[in-house]
Amino acid sequence: MTMMANHFQNGIETAKLVWSRIPNSESEEPQDSEDTVGFLKKSDGSGVESLDYEVIENYAYREEQALRGKLYVGYLLVVKWFFALLIGIGTGIAAVFINISVENFAGWKFSLTFHIIQKSYIAGFLVYVLINLVLVLSSVYIITQFAPAAAGSGIPEIKGYLNGVDIYGILLLRTLIGKIFGSIGSVGGGLALGKEGPLVHTGACIASLLGQGGSTKYKLNSRWFQVFKSDRDQRDLVTCGCAAGVAAAFRAPVGGVLFALEEVTSWWRSQLMWRVFFTSAVVAVVVRTAMGWCKSGKCGHFGSGGFVIWDISGGQEDYSFAELLPMAVIGVIGGLLGALFNQLTLYVSSWRRNHLHKKGGRVKIIEACLVSLLTSVISFGLPLLRKCSPCPESDPHSDSTIECPRPPGMYGNYVNFFCSKDKEYNDLATIFFNTQDDAIRNLFSAKTIHEYSPQSLLTFLVMFYTLAVLTFGTAVPAGQFVPGIMIGSTYGRLVGMFVVKYYGKLNIEEGTYALLGAASFLGGSMRMTVSLCVIMVEITNNLQLLPLIMLVLLISKAVGDAFNEGLYEEQARLKGIPLLESRPKYEMRNMTAKEACGSRRVVSLPRVVKVADVASILRSNDHNGFPVIDHTRNGESLVIGLVLRSHLLVILQSKVDFQHIPIPGDTRGVTNPIRHRSDEFTKPVSSKGICIDDIHLSSDDLEMYIDLAPFLNPSPYIVPEDMSLTKVYNLFRQLGLRHLFVVPRPSRVLGLITRKDLLIEDTKNENAIPLQLTSTMSL
């Protein structure tokens, strides 16, 4: 109990640390700062709002359910599948737009730079730096001035939302706009980050906006889509959006489903899996259609690049048992470098938060521009330190169509960057002067042995690793999938060079080891296994490498877990998002439910309460749930349910349920009919909802009364006071609860339900049902 009280006190002290406000173009909403967007105020979760995933079975809900027939239930099912279709189409279109834009900006940038450096190196350098700077400046300006919640990858925030944490601003329309256009600027500007993580957030925003019927603030809403308003339904839609984002980013529909299941969701059911799978399949169709359309040359510079698809099916076909040792070494390296990356990004992000970003949005803009300038100088200057290499002689027996050197402004291997002779290329420029997708394709490529020197790969590894650490945490949309693949494929190819030289076998391809290195770094950093394995197989189109990918993923995850947690978990903790992990802490085994309650006083309400008392209680504390107490004829106190703060605010605002006398009404709603629909009590997604200060009550209103019986949840979840906290934790997380009553041990048992009592046939054996249920009454 003392430990819980100390945690609570620490949360109060942490709440006093308020972040600097971001300058916002919308002056009428000064609350949209990083105090409430992206970063939560209290690091222990004591000041965090939760989502109401539990169904509140009050009288309004039961009345609506009684009026709904099978036809309406079928209608809701059809609408859910229709929404899944729209989410897939919307996310696919957003991904196509982002990819085409990034590819065109990058294509124009490289073509213009290569054209200018033929005449003047200095002029080409200045143009290259200026284009990158403009793109990054546009991205960071959008984030700081328009959509603060769009910064970063968004995956920790979405993971927190699906875990039950209500984070303001992450699913707004302007967040979606900022995510799309911010990703185009930051990725097109050549920063060491990717667009795959932001696509997950983009898909979640699209799903949420569809579920809300659009945006009411910008007058872009439709009542036809406002069918699912509850947090429970919104959670299912956002889950579909997350899977759609991964499917769109990697063209990996099955990987998208598994990513949603393994990484972001805390609650899952088979019906949801079918809709998520359907959404991912729709995304795959949309993306494939767009790629086929772009191959005809209608998308500008958009060609074979853009979408993450690295076909290495023509690479190494088999492997020997002796190769498993260096492959295991790749897994160990990935675990070590991944854990180091997580720790370094945590330190840098903490320093940014506590020192740099407190100075306002202008400092964030300057910081992002300086990082862009540093990245441009390194990517343009380092290749000059490497000597050009002669092109390899073409093998007449090989079916390789790789041209050396490649034509200026085209994609591919063997970049001629400031080389004096025609048949020469710069191996370091081959990595730097490409979009990340094409650079990875070059590192994965087969039949290009000796294309890179070990010195160039090691130089790129050190510099890009450092840039990725510095860039992660800046005020731009930033994903870590593709940078992680870049880092891993670099040291993987280095190990592949050693294996080729040591074993001397002709069938060994360096590109295969680059793929395994990419998988190992992602496993060591993000700690994903099943979903990452499937994604890597889908994007490389090589099923034969599946056992090897599984091997390096298991090793890298085990090594990384020995040092710290995954990247998203570390970032969520830094942002104050209180995730309930799948496994409870070890200390909970020796604690009980009563000890976890701490010293916080339970604020309860009588069934018939005075309006003045309700307003006073809501102003004096920030509790979100209040037990409702009634009295029997014998005067014994009886807990009849739980009423939510949001429900009380709706009742106070509408005033239609006020009554003049403190007498309970008819619980069946005959004398006091229910004047509200159940969806009126739902709070808009990613919104603050109603505040007690927004409600104006006259002196006459304060003297009236409210009967809370029609609005409370009469069947909240209840546990005995001596239940172990481990068991309470598992129950709370698996059911997606917000409140859990702790009560003394009950005095008697009314009955006992077993599995057979829940196996009720539809209409075949109706007479047997009451007999089964009453057979336990003798207990």
Side-chain angles (χ1 to χ4, degrees):
M1 185 178 297
T2 303
M3 182 177 67
M4 295 297 295
N6 291 336
H7 282 306
F8 185 68
Q9 183 64 29
N10 292 335
I12 296 177
E13 295 296 328
T14 309
K16 298 177 182 178
L17 300 176
V18 181
W19 280 40
S20 60
R21 293 192 172 273
I22 296 177
N24 199 316
S25 59
E26 302 183 40
S27 57
E28 71 275 8
E29 287 189 349
Q31 72 273 19
D32 292 347
S33 66
E34 270 194 21
D35 295 346
T36 52
V37 176
F39 291 83
L40 301 179
K41 291 183 179 180
K42 302 186 182 181
S43 60
D44 68 342
S46 59
V48 172
E49 294 291 336
S50 297
L51 295 165
D52 294 304
Y53 287 157
E54 182 185 356
V55 177
I56 307 299
E57 296 181 339
N58 54 25
Y59 292 110
Y61 174 81
R62 292 183 177 183
E63 241 186 28
E64 288 186 7
Q65 293 298 313
L67 296 175
R68 292 177 179 179
K70 290 187 176 181
L71 184 62
Y72 187 79
V73 174
Y75 164 74
L76 291 180
L77 183 62
V78 172
V79 172
K80 287 181 180 179
W81 284 91
F82 178 66
F83 272 34
L85 174 66
L86 293 181
I87 292 169
I89 294 175
T91 307
I93 293 174
V96 170
F97 175 73
I98 292 174
N99 278 285
I100 290 177
S101 301
V102 169
E103 285 291 303
N104 277 281
F105 280 124
W108 293 330
K109 176 179 66 178
F110 290 129
S111 296
L112 185 61
T113 302
F114 273 104
H115 178 73
I116 294 178
I117 62 175
Q118 304 299 326
K119 302 176 182 178
S120 172
Y121 173 79
I122 301 297
F125 170 73
L126 292 177
V127 169
Y128 180 77
V129 171
L130 184 61
I131 294 175
N132 284 338
L133 199 59
V134 170
L135 289 173
V136 173
L137 179 61
S138 65
S139 175
V140 68
Y141 188 83
I142 290 172
I143 299 303
T144 55
Q145 302 297 322
F146 180 68
S153 69
I155 294 181
E157 289 84 355
I158 298 301
K159 186 172 182 178
Y161 177 85
L162 294 177
N163 196 256
V165 183
D166 189 7
I167 306 173
Y168 173 70
I170 63 169
L171 298 174
L172 297 176
L173 176 61
R174 60 176 174 178
T175 302
L176 172 62
I177 296 173
K179 209 74 179 181
I180 293 175
F181 290 97
S183 298
I184 294 173
S186 60
V187 179
L191 294 180
L193 45 83
K195 55 185 178 296
E196 285 66 31
L199 269 175
V200 176
H201 195 175
T202 299
C205 289
I206 292 174
S208 178
L209 289 169
L210 282 173
Q212 298 174 74
S215 174
T216 56
K217 179 179 179 180
Y218 297 101
K219 311 299 182 184
L220 298 174
N221 60 331
S222 173
R223 292 184 179 180
W224 294 96
F225 289 95
Q226 295 177 1
V227 180
F228 305 109
K229 293 185 177 181
S230 68
D231 291 338
R232 190 184 185 93
D233 295 325
Q234 288 288 331
R235 173 186 61 184
D236 292 350
L237 293 175
V238 171
T239 304
C240 292
C242 291
V246 176
F250 297 103
R251 280 188 62 195
V254 179
V257 177
L258 294 176
F259 176 84
L261 172 61
E262 179 183 8
E263 186 63 22
V264 295
T265 59
S266 304
W267 190 86
W268 197 262
R269 67 180 189 274
S270 58
Q271 299 95 323
L272 178 60
M273 176 177 285
W274 280 109
R275 292 206 304 275
V276 171
F277 186 79
F278 173 71
T279 306
S280 300
V282 172
V283 171
V285 172
V286 172
V287 171
R288 187 175 184 85
T289 303
M291 291 188 66
W293 181 68
C294 287
K295 285 182 179 178
S296 60
K298 298 178 181 179
C299 300
H301 284 273
F302 184 86
S304 59
F307 283 98
V308 181
I309 180 72
W310 306 299
D311 192 342
I312 61 169
S313 56
Q316 184 171 336
E317 296 181 356
D318 198 6
Y319 53 90
S320 61
F321 181 79
E323 291 182 65
L324 295 180
L325 178 60
M327 292 175 181
V329 171
I330 289 178
V332 174
I333 296 174
L336 294 175
L337 289 182
L340 178 63
F341 182 84
N342 293 357
Q343 205 63 38
L344 290 177
T345 53
L346 184 64
Y347 288 151
V348 173
S349 299
S350 299
W351 178 81
R352 277 194 177 102
R353 175 183 180 182
N354 297 326
H355 298 90
L356 194 63
H357 287 179
K358 280 188 173 183
K359 299 179 180 179
R362 184 176 300 177
V363 175
K364 297 179 183 180
I365 295 176
I366 296 174
E367 177 201 21
C369 291
L370 288 177
V371 172
S372 173
L373 183 63
L374 177 64
T375 305
S376 299
V377 170
I378 289 176
S379 60
F380 206 97
L382 276 183
L384 293 177
L385 303 179
R386 294 291 305 163
K387 294 182 179 180
C388 292
S389 305
C391 288
E393 297 181 2
S394 59
D395 187 0
H397 302 288
S398 175
D399 56 352
S400 176
T401 59
I402 299 177
E403 184 178 359
C404 179
R406 75 173 193 189
M410 299 295 290
Y411 300 103
N413 303 66
Y414 304 112
V415 173
N416 186 332
F417 181 77
F418 221 64
C419 296
S420 57
K421 297 181 181 179
D422 292 337
K423 286 294 182 179
E424 288 185 339
Y425 73 98
N426 190 312
D427 58 348
L428 197 54
T430 300
I431 309 176
F432 274 118
F433 272 83
N434 264 314
T435 60
Q436 292 178 355
D437 297 338
D438 288 293
I440 295 170
R441 188 176 291 106
N442 295 344
L443 291 169
F444 282 179
S445 61
K447 302 178 177 61
T448 56
I449 295 180
H450 308 306
E451 177 183 359
Y452 303 98
S453 65
Q455 295 85 354
S456 295
L457 289 178
L458 192 59
T459 301
F460 177 78
L461 174 62
V462 173
M463 296 311 301
F464 194 83
Y465 192 96
T466 305
L467 288 175
V469 171
L470 292 177
T471 308
F472 189 81
T474 53
V476 294
Q480 283 306 117
F481 274 103
V482 169
I485 294 175
M486 290 277 287
I487 294 170
S489 58
T490 304
Y491 68 73
R493 188 142 187 140
L494 279 169
V495 175
M497 289 180 176
F498 168 78
V499 174
V500 169
K501 183 177 180 180
Y502 181 80
Y503 289 97
K505 296 183 179 180
L506 298 177
N507 66 327
I508 297 178
E509 290 285 354
E510 296 173 359
T512 301
Y513 287 83
L515 168 66
L516 297 179
S520 69
F521 186 82
L522 292 178
S525 176
M526 300 177 183
R527 312 292 159 82
M528 296 187 298
T529 51
V530 180
S531 59
L532 188 58
C533 182
V534 174
I535 288 173
M536 297 302 293
V537 170
E538 287 187 281
I539 62 180
T540 55
N541 195 24
N542 194 331
L543 192 61
Q544 294 178 340
L545 300 179
L546 178 61
L548 303 180
I549 297 175
M550 295 171 63
L551 172 67
V552 298
L553 280 176
L554 290 173
I555 295 176
S556 63
K557 184 181 186 304
V559 173
D561 285 339
F563 295 94
N564 51 33
E565 290 186 304
L567 178 65
Y568 300 134
E569 288 77 12
E570 295 280 4
Q571 292 299 316
R573 180 177 292 105
L574 174 66
K575 296 183 178 185
I577 303 174
L579 295 179
L580 293 180
E581 299 296 337
S582 58
R583 183 178 300 177
K585 299 295 183 182
Y586 181 82
E587 295 81 2
M588 292 184 178
R589 298 183 179 184
N590 300 321
M591 299 178 64
T592 62
K594 184 178 180 180
E595 293 174 336
C597 296
S599 58
R600 289 171 293 176
R601 184 175 61 90
V602 178
V603 180
S604 59
L605 297 172
R607 173 179 169 174
V608 181
V609 60
K610 197 173 184 179
V611 173
D613 295 337
V614 175
S616 175
I617 289 175
L618 294 179
R619 285 193 175 94
S620 61
N621 64 78
D622 57 356
H623 295 339
N624 287 289
F626 302 92
V628 179
I629 310 297
D630 199 3
H631 296 276
T632 62
R633 294 180 178 178
N634 299 329
E636 182 183 357
S637 296
L638 184 67
V639 179
I640 61 173
L642 173 75
V643 63
L644 297 179
R645 182 188 191 92
S646 58
H647 290 198
L648 292 174
L649 291 171
V650 172
I651 297 169
L652 292 181
Q653 188 181 54
S654 66
K655 303 181 183 180
V656 296
D657 299 286
F658 292 179
Q659 59 188 43
H660 293 280
I661 52 178
I663 298 179
D666 189 350
T667 57
R668 295 171 298 177
V670 177
T671 58
N672 291 335
I674 304 228
R675 302 178 179 91
H676 298 276
R677 300 188 311 273
S678 60
D679 59 0
E680 293 180 24
F681 295 104
T682 58
K683 181 179 70 67
V685 178
S686 198
S687 171
K688 292 181 178 298
I690 307 173
C691 179
I692 184 61
D693 297 327
D694 301 330
I695 300 174
H696 303 285
L697 298 170
S698 65
S699 57
D700 293 336
D701 293 333
L702 295 174
E703 296 300 322
M704 300 185 77
Y705 297 87
I706 306 172
D707 182 7
L708 299 178
F711 310 103
L712 55 82
N713 181 9
S715 54
Y717 288 92
I718 298 174
V719 296
E721 60 182 345
D722 55 351
M723 177 183 283
S724 71
L725 193 56
T726 299
K727 201 170 182 179
V728 172
Y729 183 97
N730 292 328
L731 180 68
F732 199 94
R733 186 181 186 276
Q734 291 171 8
L735 295 177
L737 302 181
R738 184 176 186 180
H739 302 98
L740 191 63
F741 277 6
V742 178
V743 300
R745 184 161 288 279
S747 58
R748 63 193 182 100
V749 179
L750 294 179
L752 186 67
I753 296 178
T754 63
R755 179 185 295 269
K756 69 176 182 178
D757 299 311
L758 301 177
L759 300 176
I760 301 176
E761 300 292 338
D762 291 336
T763 56
K764 296 180 181 178
N765 196 11
E766 296 179 354
N767 295 329
I769 295 173
L771 293 177
Q772 283 188 355
L773 295 178
T774 56
S775 62
T776 58
M777 295 297 291
S778 58
L779 297 174

